[in-house]
RNA sequence: GGGCCGUUAGCUCAAUUGGUAGAGCUGCGGACUUUUAAUCCGUAGGUUCCGGGUUCGAGCCCCGGGCGGCCCA
């Protein structure tokens, strides 16, 4: 660092606490002390020392010499004896002690003058326990390993939510739970991958930059390729590419990656979110539903050691065993007290909505009306994990029509704690029907429905080579984390999109 | 897109009817060789989000804007 010029910030404008820290850095460099050394002789992690010396009585000397590092999270300086709590990456803490008798006057004075809360330090010394029994390293020598120029927020008050999200690094420093979420997420995604690999699935990465956006109904982000002089879309779903894989003979295929939807952002929607999709030849929406339940249960088991998880509010949520299932038309009929079927007229559905003071877009057709009514009257009330089966065909253009019931699609949605976690299908593989459905959607798009899909000729060509009967499903990975932890989406995503300050 | 609420010191928050902007922690100076959010003494720290208006006087009232949260679509 010392070879670089002074920081560009005008020092006069800095808050006092930052000015003081900058001046310490500058003074150290002027005195020939490197505040950002390239390497320090660390011999043990704090965790290793805690593990090795877990049961020492108070006021013990071990004779063991170690070199440790950590961020200073707590300090107590008295006249001739100083204490500091060091914390390392996984949250393990260990106390460092500096006594006049051991380090000498110069090193003790320098410690008091140079070290602030939040600094990284190296301490070499003997492993002991204090008179109060605290496992400590009694320093023979210490040095700065990284000078912090900004003061940490106070540790005893909760950080404002906005600061937590905008400055996640500060959140991670201060809040062990924030680090737990990151590790839980890693455990969950690893569990998902393990579950699929165990079942003989192949993981692929399909295009995020697409010239046509398909596979879902959502508004895309648009960007531009200079090399091709072409507007391209950030994908809204990987579905059409994963089906191309199945056509090509990759009969069990999955992808975990990001989707982008240029739509609202709230406590359960993020413009950029992690999606899991999986397709299997010779599966149906029944077998893919069983698979879905198993991978969620395996993820809970891997992350928490149990299929009964404890949520952020302290309540328990049971994901074990079989999950209940209901049909969309059946459960909606029950909620309305009147039978609705794929033949129920749009006028009648509008009347149901009006009678319940539910405002609906007058442009909505039968399928959308059914889904709106269902979501309002049934979906939002579902708490236990529940498969909702057999959707209106017209709103499921990529789904096979029910084998026995015309007008209904072999599709389910998985509801967990009142929100949609996953959706699965018996895939439509007849290229002629598929072309007809996609063309209808494209016509709607031309009519101004921005959520309708455009025609993907290459995808249809792939289907025309013959896709085996298949089941497929998609699951929001962020939402899986929400389901398992009870957190909002902005706390399951490390760095969610926020407006610039 | 609409409605409501919030925005004040490094952090978390106060501020009566419109009348000198405060506290705790943090910081700075000092005392203390066993501290765990130590204790004690002293002390500093503010463009009250931004711009305009009303007023003798605005953190507070009015108008516009920014950012955020909640609810609704």
């Amino acid at each position: 660092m010392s070879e670089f010029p002074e920081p560009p910030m005008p020092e006069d404008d800095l808050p006092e606490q930052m000015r003081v820290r900058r001046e310490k850095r500058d003074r150290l460099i002027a005195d020939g002390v490197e505040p950002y050394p390239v390497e320090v002789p660390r011999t043990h992690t704090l965790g290793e020392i805690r593990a090795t010396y877990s049961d020492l009585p108070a006021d013990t000397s071990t004779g063991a010499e170690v070199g440790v590092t950590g961020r200073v999270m707590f300090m107590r300086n008295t006249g001739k004896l100083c204490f500091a709590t060091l914390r390392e990456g996984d949250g393990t803490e260990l106390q460092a002690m500096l006594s006049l008798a051991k380090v000498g006057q110069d090193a003790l004075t320098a410690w008091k003058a140079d070290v602030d809360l939040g600094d990284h330090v190296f301490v070499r010394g003997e492993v002991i326990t204090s008179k109060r029994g605290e496992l400590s390293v009694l320093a023979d020598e210490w040095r700065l390993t990284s000078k912090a120029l900004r003061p940490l927020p106070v540790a005893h008050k909760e950080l404002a939510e906005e600061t937590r999200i905008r400055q996640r690094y500060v959140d991670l420093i201060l809040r062990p739970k924030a680090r737990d979420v990151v590790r839980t997420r890693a455990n969950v995604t690893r569990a998902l991958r393990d579950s699929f690999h165990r079942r003989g699935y192949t993981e692929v990465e399909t295009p995020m930059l697409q010239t046509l956006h398909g596979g879902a109904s959502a508004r895309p982000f648009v960007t531009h390729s200079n090399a091709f002089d072409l507007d391209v879309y950030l994908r809204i779903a990987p579905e059409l590419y994963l089906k191309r894989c199945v056509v090509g003979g990759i009969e069990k295929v999955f992808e975990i990656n990001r989707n982008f939807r240029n739509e609202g952002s709230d406590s359960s929607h993020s413009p950029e979110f992690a999606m899991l999709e999986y397709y299997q030849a010779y599966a149906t929406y029944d077998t893919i539903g069983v698979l879905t339940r198993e991978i969620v249960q395996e993820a809970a088991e891997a992350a928490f050691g149990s299929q009964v998880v404890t949520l952020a509010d302290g309540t328990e949520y049971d994901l074990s065993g079989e999950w209940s299932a209901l049909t969309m038309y059946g459960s909606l009929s029950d909620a309305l007290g009147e039978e609705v079927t794929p033949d129920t007229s749009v006028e009648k559905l509008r009347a149901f909505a009006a009678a319940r003071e539910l405002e609906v877009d007058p442009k909505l057709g039968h399928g959308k009306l059914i889904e709106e009514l269902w979501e309002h009257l049934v979906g939002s009330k579902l708490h236990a994990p529940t498969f909702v089966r057999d959707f209106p065909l017209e709103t499921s253009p990529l789904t096979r029509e029910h084998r026995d019931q015309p007008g209904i699609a072999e599709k389910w949605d998985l509801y967990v704690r009142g929100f949609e976690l996953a959706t699965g299908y018996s895939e439509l593989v007849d290229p002629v029907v598929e072309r007809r459905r996609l063309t209808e959607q494209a016509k709607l798009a031309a009519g101004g429905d921005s959520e309708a899909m455009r025609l993907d000729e290459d995808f249809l060509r792939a289907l025309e080579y013959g896709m085996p009967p298949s089941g497929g499903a998609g699951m929001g990975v962020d939402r899986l984390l929400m389901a398992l932890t009870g957190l909002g989406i902005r706390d399951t995503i490390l760095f969610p999109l926020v407006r610039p300050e």
Side-chain angles (χ1 to χ4, degrees), chain A residues 214-480:
Chain A
S217 297
R219 201 169 300 136
F221 287 92
V222 186
T223 184
H224 187 81
S225 161
N226 292 333
F228 290 84
D229 188 22
L230 187 68
D231 281 343
V232 291
Y233 302 101
L234 299 184
R235 74 167 178 204
I236 57 173
E239 170 160 359
L240 302 188
Y241 282 97
L242 293 174
K243 284 180 172 170
R244 286 168 168 93
C245 291
V246 178
V247 168
I250 304 169
E251 295 194 349
K252 292 177 162 184
V253 66
F254 78 103
E255 176 164 9
I256 297 178
N257 226 316
R258 232 71 65 77
N259 287 348
F260 306 86
R261 297 189 180 175
N262 204 346
E263 297 180 342
S265 175
D266 59 36
S267 58
S268 64
H269 295 81
S270 173
E272 152 180 45
F273 61 99
M275 189 73 176
L276 161 68
E277 289 204 10
Y278 39 110
Y279 293 83
Q280 180 176 334
Y282 307 107
T284 66
Y285 78 146
D286 294 309
T287 52
I288 213 81
V290 172
L291 172 64
T292 299
R293 173 172 57 76
E294 289 173 355
I295 63 169
V296 170
Q297 290 171 338
E298 287 166 18
E301 196 86 44
F304 301 106
S306 168
Q307 294 180 20
V308 181
V309 295
T310 303
L311 305 179
D313 64 3
T315 61
E316 291 198 334
Y317 190 74
D318 189 353
L319 291 152
S320 66
E322 299 280 328
W323 294 344
S324 58
L326 43 83
T327 66
M328 176 163 277
Y329 283 94
S331 60
L332 180 57
S333 298
D334 290 345
L336 288 168
E338 275 190 73
E339 182 77 3
V340 286
T341 71
D343 295 325
T344 305
S345 71
V346 166
E347 288 70 30
K348 207 164 177 190
L349 293 176
R350 282 200 195 119
F352 286 136
R356 281 154 188 82
E357 293 179 352
L358 176 62
E359 282 185 37
V360 291
D361 188 331
K363 291 199 293 285
L364 296 187
H366 170 90
K368 281 279 186 193
L369 278 169
I370 290 284
E371 290 186 10
E372 285 276 325
L373 281 166
W374 183 88
E375 174 59 41
H376 191 253
L377 296 174
V378 186
S380 56
K381 298 181 175 71
L382 292 176
H383 183 72
T386 306
F387 285 107
V388 184
R389 293 162 57 90
D390 299 342
F391 278 59
L393 188 64
E394 67 172 74
T395 49
S396 313
L398 298 170
T399 310
R400 178 187 287 268
E401 186 164 24
H402 195 280
R403 55 197 84 178
D404 304 318
Q405 303 173 51
I408 285 178
E410 291 206 0
K411 165 186 173 177
W412 51 253
D413 271 1
L414 171 60
Y415 274 73
V416 167
R417 295 177 44 234
F419 62 85
E420 185 189 332
L421 174 62
T423 181
Y425 316 88
S426 297
E427 300 296 342
L428 174 59
V429 297
D430 180 337
V432 174
V433 177
E434 183 77 78
R435 176 177 293 279
R436 191 167 70 229
R437 298 255 191 92
L438 290 183
T439 303
E440 285 164 10
Q441 292 289 318
K443 277 183 191 158
L444 274 177
D449 181 356
S450 62
E451 285 195 351
M453 287 181 286
R454 293 167 58 186
L455 207 58
D456 188 336
E457 283 293 343
D458 179 70
F459 169 66
L460 291 169
R461 179 169 62 188
L463 284 192
E464 286 165 7
Y465 281 96
M467 175 169 163
S470 301
M475 182 185 303
V477 175
D478 316 289
R479 289 188 164 200
L480 176 57

Side-chain angles (χ1 to χ4, degrees), chain A residues 43-199:
Chain A
T43 64
H44 297 73
T45 65
L46 304 183
E48 285 165 352
I49 290 174
R50 281 222 168 272
T52 308
Y53 304 98
S54 53
D55 288 315
L56 294 183
D59 212 6
T60 304
S61 300
T62 64
E65 277 283 308
V66 297
V68 296
T69 59
R71 187 190 292 274
V72 176
M73 297 306 292
F74 177 82
M75 285 180 78
R76 199 60 65 207
N77 292 344
T78 68
K80 301 188 181 70
L81 182 64
C82 298
F83 301 88
T85 301
L86 309 186
R87 182 188 285 173
E88 69 188 6
D90 68 355
T92 304
E93 295 186 340
L94 190 71
Q95 179 166 272
M97 293 170 61
L98 293 91
S99 77
L100 176 63
K102 273 277 187 182
V103 294
Q105 189 61 60
D106 288 353
L108 191 71
T109 304
W111 172 271
K112 291 185 194 178
D114 299 347
V115 178
D116 293 301
L117 278 176
D119 290 354
H120 290 267
V121 296
F122 165 78
V123 174
R124 184 182 62 76
E126 184 186 0
V127 178
I128 63 158
T129 53
S130 72
K131 285 180 183 167
R132 297 287 180 87
E134 187 75 38
L135 187 62
S136 309
V137 173
L138 179 61
D140 291 312
E141 179 197 354
W142 76 273
R143 64 171 306 177
L144 269 176
T145 49
S146 186
K147 180 73 197 163
L149 296 187
R150 288 179 184 271
L152 289 176
V154 292
H156 315 293
K157 292 279 187 176
E158 204 161 289
L159 209 54
E161 188 186 357
E162 189 180 351
T163 312
R164 286 214 324 263
I165 292 170
R166 282 191 189 273
Q167 294 178 254
R168 184 70 80 188
Y169 38 88
V170 175
D171 189 28
L172 292 168
I173 290 169
L174 289 178
R175 207 164 52 94
K177 273 209 176 337
R179 294 190 298 270
D180 291 345
V181 173
V182 179
R183 296 196 173 88
T184 297
R185 183 174 179 122
N187 290 337
V188 165
T189 51
R190 184 170 55 205
L192 292 173
R193 287 196 162 92
D194 288 347
S195 292
F196 284 108
H197 287 309
R198 266 200 307 277
R199 289 169 173 82

Side-chain angles (χ1 to χ4, degrees), chain A residues 18-63:
Chain A
M18 287 184 60
R19 203 186 66 238
V20 166
R21 287 168 182 246
R22 259 164 221 272
E23 285 166 359
K24 287 183 182 177
R25 170 196 173 274
D26 295 346
R27 172 171 53 71
L28 289 168
I29 290 171
D31 292 348
V33 178
E34 177 55 75
Y36 304 98
V38 66
E39 193 175 28
V40 290
R42 172 156 84 157
T43 64
H44 297 73
T45 65
L46 304 183
E48 285 165 352
I49 290 174
R50 281 222 168 272
T52 308
Y53 304 98
S54 53
D55 288 315
L56 294 183
D59 212 6
T60 304
S61 300
T62 64

